[in-house]
């Protein structure tokens, strides 16, 4: 069974609000450009990484990560520039801040962990609109390692953080859930299923302060036998939900909740002959129901991510095929059945990988982006759109070179005529340079993204727009004279 990906590179893991971009085109007086928004590095020039970002408005974004000196790093977008934050420090090494959530312009919560030299302990820091403060987080008793990896806040008084800890006992590792009530963090009662050798939570979705769903997998045997794991918060306690019987060696990798009574979780399971097949489960408001998902061929297939525009409209994407011969996979939920969307791959003899998907709630439009690996020749960008009926590959321009690779890593749409995708390509000098493409309703066009002077390697890995006049793309760059990368952010104001 495939293991869940830890992320695509060290820089920028998550974007916490809807993303969009508008038509670019040839470089003329009316063209739309990305302009580098300088992201400062710590005083000593070391590797700096931003792993997560959350924006509450066009003038309030928070990005978190770390540098090579094991110092945690946070940078705040003020509407015109990025400013390194003065973070309080605890003794010992400071591994990265790995998650951040900003439900308002005056409150953010970031989570991670720190190493005292003898133990690894959970860490949470809050921002009140002016300064950062370490918020004490409890750790399970008799453990040497406790980690918080993600956080979701619906308000300044309601946050949920998830992670894991090594309990040193028979189960060895257990999932960890902590909740913030506006005054303190508390550990939720252990929810690992009885008899489990271990459990992990991969994704969480909260529709309100009294309704959250976390999904993952639990190890129930030796050799490892995995079962899908669903845990639900009802405002009072976390409960292990009764997963419908059937699939074995199963894991749920993504979950989306439109309300307290509608959630969809997706993942994969292993068949009796050792083939990995797609898996989807639906929360009806009272029980989880196993929804039959078609697996398109007698090869491995998995659904890795899901987004829902409503209770009767969800789109999940993933891949199908064995390693080295993987093809794009998309499936749609109509409210009653899952169907394989005819998601074309570029050509035979290639691997087509879809990395991101975005759907518009008010229309039938969904956009998926990724890249195609060719056995001969460079990797090329892939963009596919659906109108609710069929998926179609839309030609997407590649970087301005014949021999170099091009890839798109993220996409988001604000309207049926407003999408943006970002990534990178190799130019004629074998330098990796940023790539941004925009969809205006008829075609994809390259929207010029600028490269920092002297940079030989530049990637844009994620993009987010708070409004039609403020977009932020993030990534990193490295110069020929530096052995370490630096964080990069590029801002678009709708004009330049």
């Amino acid at each position: 069974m495939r293991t869940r990906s830890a992320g695509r590179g060290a820089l920028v893991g998550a974007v916490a609000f809807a993303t969009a971009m508008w038509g670019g085109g040839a470089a003329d007086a009316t063209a739309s450009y990305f302009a580098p928004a300088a992201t400062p590095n710590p005083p000593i020039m070391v590797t700096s990484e931003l792993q997560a970002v959350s924006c509450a408005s066009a003038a309030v974004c928070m990005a978190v990560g770390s540098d090579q000196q094991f110092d945690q790093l946070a940078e705040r977008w003020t509407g015109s520039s990025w400013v390194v934050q003065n973070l309080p420090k605890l003794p010992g090494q400071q591994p990265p801040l790995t998650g951040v959530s900003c439900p308002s312009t005056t409150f953010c919560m970031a989570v991670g962990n720190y190493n005292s030299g003898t133990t690894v302990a959970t860490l949470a820091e809050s921002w009140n609109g002016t300064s950062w403060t370490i918020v004490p987080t409890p750790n399970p008793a008799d453990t040497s390692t406790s980690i918080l990896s993600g956080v979701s806040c619906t308000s300044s008084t309601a946050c949920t953080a998830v992670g894991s800890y090594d309990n040193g006992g028979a189960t060895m590792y257990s999932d960890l859930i902590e909740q913030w009530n506006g005054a303190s963090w508390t550990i939720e009662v252990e929810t690992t299923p009885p008899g489990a050798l271990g459990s992990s939570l991969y994704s969480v979705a909260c529709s309100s302060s009294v309704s959250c769903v976390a999904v993952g997998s639990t190890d129930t045997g030796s050799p490892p036998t995995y079962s899908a794991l669903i845990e639900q918060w009802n405002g009072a306690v976390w409960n292990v939900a009764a997963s419908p019987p059937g699939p074995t060696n199963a894991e749920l990798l993504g979950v989306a909740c439109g309300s307290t009574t509608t959630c969809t979780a997706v993942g994969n399971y292993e068949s009796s002959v050792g083939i990995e097949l797609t898996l989807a489960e639906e929360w009806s408001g009272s029980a989880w129901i196993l929804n039959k998902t078609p697996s398109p061929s007698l090869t491995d297939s998995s659904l890795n991510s899901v987004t829902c525009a409503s209770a009767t409209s969800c789109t999940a994407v993933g891949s199908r095929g064995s390693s080295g011969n993987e093809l794009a996979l998309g499936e749609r939920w109509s409210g009653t059945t899952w169907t394989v969307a005819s998601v074309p791959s570029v050509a035979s003899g290639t691997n087509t990988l879809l990395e991101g998907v975005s759907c518009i709630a008010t229309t039938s439009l969904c956009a998926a982006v990724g890249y195609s690996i060719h056995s001969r020749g460079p990797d090329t960008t892939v963009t596919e759109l659906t109108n609710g009926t069929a998926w179609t590959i839309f030609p997407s321009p590649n970087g301005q070179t014949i021999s170099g690779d091009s890839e798109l890593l993220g996409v988001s749409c604000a309207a049926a005529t407003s999408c943006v995708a970002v990534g990178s390509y190799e130019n004629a000098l074998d330098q990796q340079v940023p790539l941004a493409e925009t969809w205006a309703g008829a075609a994809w066009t390259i929207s010029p993204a600028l490269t920092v002077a002297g940079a030989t390697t530049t990637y844009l890995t994620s993009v987010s727009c708070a409004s039609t006049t403020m977009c932020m793309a993030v990534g990193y760059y490295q110069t020929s004279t530096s052995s370490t990368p630096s964080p990069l952010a590029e801002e678009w104001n709708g004009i330049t």
Side-chain angles (χ1 to χ4, degrees), residues 238 341 474 488:
W238 284 90
V474 291
L488 171 67

Side-chain angles (χ1 to χ4, degrees), residues 6 10-16 49-55 61-66 72-75 87 95-103 107-113 122-127 132-133 137 147-153 159-163 185 202 204:
L11 192 57
V12 182
V15 176
E49 300 175 351
L50 297 175
Q51 296 195 4
V53 62
S54 178
C55 293
C61 295
M62 199 69 70
V64 298
S66 70
Q72 284 148 355
L73 176 64
E75 300 188 11
L87 293 176
L97 290 172
T98 53
V100 63
S101 181
C102 300
F107 180 81
C108 295
M109 185 70 74
V111 298
N113 62 89
T122 58
L123 173 67
E125 303 190 19
S126 67
W127 182 71
W132 286 89
T133 303
T137 51
I147 296 172
L148 294 177
S149 56
V151 62
S152 176
C153 300
C159 297
T160 298
V162 297
W185 285 95
Y202 300 139
V204 63

Side-chain angles (χ1 to χ4, degrees), residues 36 60 171 193:
V60 177
T171 60

Side-chain angles (χ1 to χ4, degrees), residues 24 50 109 117 134 179 227 238 257 303 318 344 399 475:
L50 297 175
M109 185 70 74
I134 291 177
Q179 290 189 310
S227 299
W238 284 90
C257 295
L303 296 175

